[in-house]
Amino acid sequence: MARRTLVPLLELLAVLFLVSIGVSLLLSLVPGDPAVAILGEGRTPEEYEALRERLGLNDPFLSRYGDWLGGVLTGDLGTSLVPPQTGVLDRIVSAMPVSLELALLGLTMALLIAVPLAMWSAYYQGGRTDRAISAVTFALLSMPSFLIGLLLIAVLVNSLDLFPRNEWVRPGDGLWSNLTHAFLPALTIALMEAAMFTRILRADLVTTLHEDFILAARARGMSPLRIMVSDALRPSSFSLVTVLGLSIGRLVGSTVIVEYLFALPGMGKLVIDAANQGNYPVVQGAVLVIAVIYVGSNALIDRSYGLLDPRTRRARAHT
């Protein structure tokens, strides 16, 4: 038991270390100077060099990385180099709820759309409904997210005026108002993810429906709905659950276009703005937190396989 717990933990820590040093190396190659962003165009060479020295920008890479890593191990992600020079953790805490809500709401909507469509499509494989669902999902997968977002804004906001204009309302300022403003960006994410989830789940369901226990259930006269929900769905969900775990971590930091379209102050916007300013501590801290969410969600997904299929749990017990 100790070995099965310790080995995955060490693997996760190794991944986080590689992510942190990789991001730090890449940032050292990215053009952009926070000293220029702070001082502006009217700076003198003396002011410029003094500020770089004070911020530690002239230190060797390993020295700067070691100082940052030492702070991380004590719970300090550093301070923003660019005004307002607040703590990096404070900026992440402010932006993270927006991206988490957007990702979780979008994935929930995607599952509500994808699971029924996949079951319907798989059960009537080769029929008109199956072909129609396949055509729609392929069309959605071929469309970039910004185009879907623009179409939703043009139709549901500009033409029909069903949703408010671009702005963000936090849940503390009114839950219903928050959900109203979050619906369209979440739907933009949901449509892309639902198309992928539908294709993945349908393929696994088609395979499962040819298993002997499904044929036996049909021979007993069980209804199609009961066969799909009770017998076929759970053993067909491995690939879907894996992709879902990957999507949680990916969406937290990769919804930059959606956040830009809908003017959302989330993690994607935070990272892009910080990268453009050369604000390295903010980028390092934000990417590290996103990586923690990514590897953590995948670890939880890996542990959930035993709930989907007891044979997986028994196989692990013998390893």
Side-chain angles (χ1 to χ4, degrees):
M1 177 65 72
R3 181 178 178 274
R4 291 201 303 270
T5 302
L6 183 60
V7 171
L9 179 60
L10 292 176
E11 291 174 349
L12 295 182
L13 292 176
V15 170
L16 294 177
F17 172 74
L18 292 175
V19 168
S20 68
I21 197 167
V23 169
S24 300
L25 282 170
L26 290 174
L27 287 174
S28 66
L29 302 175
V30 171
D33 193 333
V36 174
I38 294 172
L39 294 175
E41 296 297 330
R43 64 188 182 277
T44 64
E46 292 78 13
E47 291 174 332
Y48 174 75
E49 287 300 328
L51 182 59
R52 283 187 60 87
E53 189 67 30
R54 180 167 63 84
L55 296 177
L57 299 176
N58 293 328
D59 296 340
F61 168 77
L62 289 179
S63 175
R64 286 184 282 115
Y65 177 75
D67 292 340
W68 176 80
L69 185 60
V72 170
L73 294 177
T74 61
D76 181 12
L77 295 182
T79 303
S80 170
L81 299 180
V82 178
Q85 291 175 308
T86 54
V88 171
L89 185 59
D90 293 335
R91 291 197 174 192
I92 293 173
V93 169
S94 177
M96 181 61 73
V98 179
S99 294
L100 278 178
E101 179 182 356
L102 193 61
L104 294 176
L105 187 58
L107 290 177
T108 300
M109 294 168 64
L111 288 174
L112 292 176
I113 296 171
V115 173
L117 287 181
M119 290 194 296
W120 194 0
S121 181
Y123 196 86
Y124 297 102
Q125 179 188 6
R128 292 181 179 179
T129 300
D130 180 31
R131 293 195 296 269
I133 292 174
S134 296
V136 171
T137 54
F138 280 130
L140 287 173
L141 287 173
S142 67
M143 295 173 63
S145 58
F146 75 86
L147 180 57
I148 294 176
L150 288 174
L151 289 174
L152 291 176
I153 292 173
V155 175
L156 299 180
V157 177
N158 296 337
S159 297
L160 300 179
D161 199 23
L162 296 178
F163 294 92
R165 302 289 172 175
N166 292 354
E167 61 179 294
W168 181 253
V169 177
R170 298 188 180 274
D173 298 327
L175 182 58
W176 176 251
S177 182
N178 166 260
L179 292 176
T180 302
H181 286 83
F183 181 81
L184 279 187
L187 182 60
T188 303
I189 292 174
L191 290 176
M192 293 287 293
E193 299 297 317
M196 179 174 58
F197 293 168
T198 301
R199 300 305 308 164
I200 292 172
L201 182 58
R202 176 199 174 277
D204 288 345
L205 281 170
V206 167
T207 301
T208 302
L209 289 175
H210 289 89
E211 296 287 344
D212 291 341
F213 68 94
I214 296 294
L215 299 177
R218 285 175 169 171
R220 292 196 301 269
M222 293 178 61
S223 67
L225 180 61
R226 184 175 177 184
I227 290 174
M228 297 300 295
V229 175
S230 301
D231 297 326
L233 182 59
R234 192 171 71 170
S236 303
S237 299
F238 282 94
S239 299
L240 177 62
V241 169
T242 300
V243 173
L244 182 63
L246 296 173
S247 297
I248 293 173
R250 174 175 55 82
L251 289 176
V252 169
S254 65
T255 56
V256 180
I257 295 177
V258 175
E259 291 178 4
Y260 179 80
L261 281 176
F262 293 93
L264 305 179
M267 289 292 290
K269 185 176 185 301
L270 176 69
V271 172
I272 294 300
D273 289 346
N276 289 334
Q277 296 168 341
N279 199 353
Y280 308 139
V282 173
V283 178
Q284 287 174 300
V287 171
L288 181 65
V289 170
I290 293 170
V292 169
I293 295 174
Y294 191 89
V295 298
S297 61
N298 278 278
L300 291 176
I301 292 298
D302 185 60
R303 294 296 178 182
S304 71
Y305 289 151
L307 299 176
L308 294 174
D309 191 341
R311 292 174 297 180
T312 305
R313 187 166 57 245
R314 288 195 296 267
R316 284 179 177 170
H318 293 293
T319 59

